[in-house]
Amino acid sequence: NADRILCGVAQMPHAWLRASAIKPHIHWTKPTGSADEVSWEFYTRIIGNPGDSPGAWSDPMVGVITAGDQTANDDHLLTSFGEVDMTGTHESAMLAWRLYRRGSTDADASTVRLLELDFHYQIEKLGTTTEIPAP
């Protein structure tokens, strides 16, 4: 019944299609399956590239289960958060992120297991020829 937070930083690869949106999602399980909803929220803050000023934190992106059966014990679930607009950034850009399980407000008081967080993104090349790509 408590809120839990996990924070981190991601750096876009040099193969990424600059300024294209990214799609974060999490993989997780419910050891005891039920129809009770688990509330996930995701926030981002674009740090950018060297010389950029960090942006503000985003509004909460509410998670939606897009694969798996939460009523089955230990079923592998995938929860998506929509797209993150990366307009104005280029290869190697960084973003900070925060993932919350809102245990104080969700309907499921049971334990869940977060397996991992990842970002889907488009690529357009094998990489860049410089360590710090030009805008």
Side-chain angles (χ1 to χ4, degrees):
N1 292 333
D3 290 347
R4 301 288 185 220
I5 183 173
L6 182 65
C7 303
V9 177
Q11 183 174 11
M12 298 308 298
H14 287 243
W16 169 59
L17 173 61
R18 62 170 53 196
S20 63
I22 59 175
K23 299 176 183 178
H25 68 252
I26 56 172
H27 297 259
W28 61 290
T29 67
K30 293 173 85 171
T32 305
S34 73
D36 295 334
E37 185 177 326
V38 174
S39 298
W40 296 99
E41 288 180 355
F42 191 71
Y43 296 79
T44 60
R45 181 179 188 198
I46 297 175
I47 305 301
N49 298 87
D52 292 344
S53 296
W57 283 100
S58 69
D59 291 332
M61 302 169 75
V62 178
V64 175
I65 294 177
T66 55
D69 177 3
Q70 72 173 351
T71 65
N73 292 353
D74 287 317
D75 202 55
H76 183 164
L77 305 168
L78 190 144
T79 293
S80 296
F81 297 97
E83 292 188 346
V84 176
D85 182 1
M86 297 290 287
T87 300
T89 61
H90 59 276
E91 301 89 336
S92 198
M94 297 184 71
L95 72 145
W97 55 265
R98 300 185 317 224
L99 174 66
Y100 289 89
R101 181 201 174 176
R102 294 297 187 189
S104 61
T105 59
D106 70 23
D108 193 329
S110 298
T111 298
V112 301
R113 291 188 181 109
L114 178 65
L115 302 173
E116 68 95 38
L117 159 75
D118 66 272
F119 299 87
H120 282 229
Y121 57 90
Q122 295 179 13
I123 64 169
E124 69 171 346
K125 57 194 167 302
L126 295 177
T128 60
T129 57
T130 60
E131 185 176 0
I132 302 172

